[in-house]
Amino acid sequence: MNLHEYQGKEILNSFGVRIQRGIVANTPAEAVAAAKKLTEDTGTGWHVIKAQVHAGGRGKGGGVKLAKNLQEVESISNDILGMMLITPQTSAEGKLVNQVLICEDVYYPGDSEPDEYYMSVLLNRATGKNMIMYSTEGGMDIETVAEETPHLIFTEEIDALLGIMPFQARKVAFNLGLSGVAFKEMTKFVTNLYKAYIGSDSAMFEINPVLKTSDSKIMAVDAKVSLDENALYRHKDYAEMRDLREENPIEVEAKAAGLNYVDLDGNVGCMVNGAGLAMGTMDLIKESGGEPANFLDVGGTADAERVEKAFGIILKDSNVKAILVNIFGGIVRCDRVAQGVVDAYKSMGDKITVPIICRLQGTNAKEAKQLIDNSGMEIISATEFQEAADKVQEVLEAS
Ligand code: GDP
Ligand code: MN
């Protein structure tokens, strides 16, 4: 589960990581009030207005702007709030900005080359260890650095049982070329950052840029945090940070219905029980020349209600031209699933606008096929996996 920058910074702050202070705002008036409050507290007077969307590259897309007085805070917030922000990481239509983060300006005025570093913590799947990735080349072009000068990106692997050791924190600060106060600040920063990553059960932390201020403080100016959803039960307060406006609405609805659904770009809707079979089904569709429109695991109880819900969700995707139902009856009997498909089909009536190919294998498969074939509905039944995929291709070519 991804978080907004302001939420990521809240988590960092709670673990003692120094952050650029900010207050989130929903309206230009709130933005001005936030800026006033920050000025009272710190006295800088300049602010950055930052669009809060689940996508990086906001600076490049015009979603991060400097305001030198309260009028500018108001007018820039007014411009950014409600805009469709297009960045290298969004789709072509962009993302709607619902909130802005008003931050104190922490850069040294007129400094054309501020000391910006890159730092992230994530799992190295190859070694099975958490690692800290970092570079002196922080800022908006880290992707180019990774591609063209990968030797400028360092990694430090952390032993899961020992945690981050003091010598490792010093090594990071040393490789970043720091000394004196900034060196000490960085060792504290990286140590607490790692603790925040572990303590919040995160899948990824990315801080870009990490800034060295003019008085040698080290702080997080940006925060991209992705939490491990499987650990959310341990963090009720983080679970509340979910912003459904940022997520695919069909996926949100599927989740609420207890279905495991991932939206994809193809034209063949899939309804499958079990994640492994669902993956296999997507592979076979592709092998046979089609493109899966979704991953959908209906789970163990494929009764009429669930099947109907699943059909409804698959059909919300207007790219779907055929639906392949591929169910293995192990604990759940195939004839029950078949009855579910038939009942769902009946009750949905003309809402089902595309051909359905149904393959049920396992316990009572024969009875299931009879049920489908005798139902009088336009459901094409298949016995073998390949046969089902071929029938999908036939109806696609005919359509
Ligand atoms: P991203 O583009 O989505 O990664 O958003 P960031 O939070 O990284 O902001 C983009 C850029 O804005 C940063 O790389 C900084 O150079 C700049 N920026 C962020 N905060 C400040 C600030 O307080 N003052 C100034 N002058 N620039 C800032
Ligand atoms: Mn950034």
Side-chain angles (χ1 to χ4, degrees):
M1 176 181 125
N2 293 329
L3 298 182
H4 285 296
E5 173 193 1
Y6 78 92
Q7 298 166 325
K9 280 177 169 171
E10 264 170 37
I11 294 179
L12 290 175
N13 187 44
S14 72
F15 282 91
V17 179
R18 192 190 296 283
I19 54 163
Q20 173 195 36
R21 293 182 58 250
I23 299 174
V24 73
N26 296 285
T27 62
E30 280 181 28
V32 171
K36 276 187 186 156
K37 174 127 190 33
L38 290 169
T39 307
E40 268 166 34
D41 292 353
T42 63
T44 59
W46 287 14
H47 300 91
V48 267
I49 318 296
K50 311 183 76 179
Q52 298 298 289
V53 290
H54 287 186
R58 293 164 303 161
K60 282 185 178 155
V64 178
K65 294 230 161 96
L66 184 67
K68 295 185 179 167
N69 53 51
L70 291 179
Q71 284 77 23
E72 286 185 9
V73 169
E74 185 168 19
S75 64
I76 293 170
S77 301
N78 194 39
D79 290 346
I80 294 182
L81 283 165
M83 82 185 278
M84 292 297 287
L85 180 62
I86 301 168
T87 86
Q89 294 182 23
T90 64
S91 64
E93 66 259 40
K95 287 205 117 177
L96 177 66
V97 182
N98 295 302
Q99 291 173 302
V100 285
L101 181 63
I102 312 302
C103 292
E104 55 178 346
D105 176 24
V106 285
Y107 284 58
Y108 197 64
D111 185 357
S112 59
E113 281 181 38
D115 294 307
E116 293 181 313
Y117 312 106
Y118 172 90
M119 194 172 288
S120 58
V121 191
L122 68 166
L123 177 68
N124 180 347
R125 289 174 190 275
T127 60
K129 286 184 175 173
N130 288 313
M131 65 177 171
I132 297 168
M133 278 178 79
Y134 60 104
S135 175
T136 52
E137 309 302 303
M140 292 201 276
D141 281 310
I142 191 69
E143 285 81 11
T144 323
V145 177
E147 230 163 73
E148 289 169 13
T149 46
H151 61 279
L152 295 177
I153 298 180
F154 300 98
T155 57
E156 185 67 25
E157 294 211 329
I158 310 296
D159 186 288
L161 295 178
L162 295 175
I164 183 167
M165 301 292 281
F167 81 88
Q168 293 181 300
R170 288 197 296 271
K171 188 168 154 199
V172 170
F174 180 80
N175 282 337
L176 289 174
L178 298 170
S179 59
V181 176
F183 185 97
K184 266 197 153 158
E185 275 269 320
M186 183 58 86
T187 58
K188 199 175 134 204
F189 184 92
V190 64
T191 304
N192 288 343
L193 180 66
Y194 185 77
K195 285 182 181 159
Y197 166 83
I198 294 293
S200 60
D201 288 313
S202 282
M204 191 204 56
F205 263 47
E206 187 182 58
I207 316 296
N208 184 31
V210 174
L211 180 76
K212 184 178 109 183
T213 63
S214 53
D215 57 351
S216 294
K217 293 210 168 83
I218 300 294
M219 66 165 64
V221 166
D222 191 6
K224 202 170 181 183
V225 171
S226 182
L227 299 173
D228 182 346
E229 289 201 31
N230 297 311
L232 275 185
Y233 73 97
R234 307 209 294 192
H235 305 279
K236 298 279 185 285
D237 45 338
Y238 297 167
E240 284 167 19
M241 291 180 174
R242 169 158 253 142
D243 186 350
L244 293 177
R245 295 173 295 189
E246 295 287 330
E247 296 181 20
N248 177 317
I250 308 181
E251 290 183 6
V252 171
E253 190 187 332
K255 197 174 188 133
L259 301 167
N260 213 335
Y261 173 93
V262 181
D263 196 23
L264 301 167
D265 291 333
N267 53 4
V268 182
C270 310
M271 186 183 330
V272 189
N273 67 338
L277 187 58
M279 300 292 276
T281 304
M282 286 160 55
D283 282 351
L284 199 74
I285 287 174
K286 223 175 148 83
E287 273 279 307
S288 311
E291 283 289 340
N294 65 274
F295 167 97
L296 173 59
D297 171 11
V298 287
T301 50
D303 55 21
E305 202 185 329
R306 268 178 102 74
V307 170
E308 185 174 337
K309 193 87 207 167
F311 274 140
I313 281 168
I314 292 173
L315 286 167
K316 288 214 160 132
D317 178 349
S318 57
N319 293 330
V320 169
K321 296 287 175 282
I323 297 176
L324 172 57
V325 179
N326 189 15
I327 302 279
F328 177 74
I331 295 170
V332 57
R333 285 167 17 216
C334 289
D335 53 330
R336 282 202 52 188
V337 179
Q339 193 61 53
V341 171
V342 172
D343 290 349
Y345 199 106
K346 260 190 204 151
S347 96
M348 292 187 76
D350 51 4
K351 274 187 246 158
I352 295 189
T353 47
V354 300
I356 293 176
I357 296 88
C358 190
R359 174 200 178 236
L360 296 160
Q361 267 298 5
T363 314
N364 291 1
K366 244 195 210 138
E367 290 84 343
K369 189 169 181 334
Q370 272 167 9
L371 242 164
I372 301 258
D373 289 343
N374 298 334
S375 68
M377 320 234 155
E378 284 177 66
I379 305 174
I380 304 163
S381 69
T383 312
E384 297 304 322
F385 203 163
Q386 185 63 55
E387 176 198 355
D390 291 342
K391 287 188 170 162
V392 169
Q393 274 319 108
E394 277 168 35
V395 302
L396 282 183
E397 277 156 26
S399 73

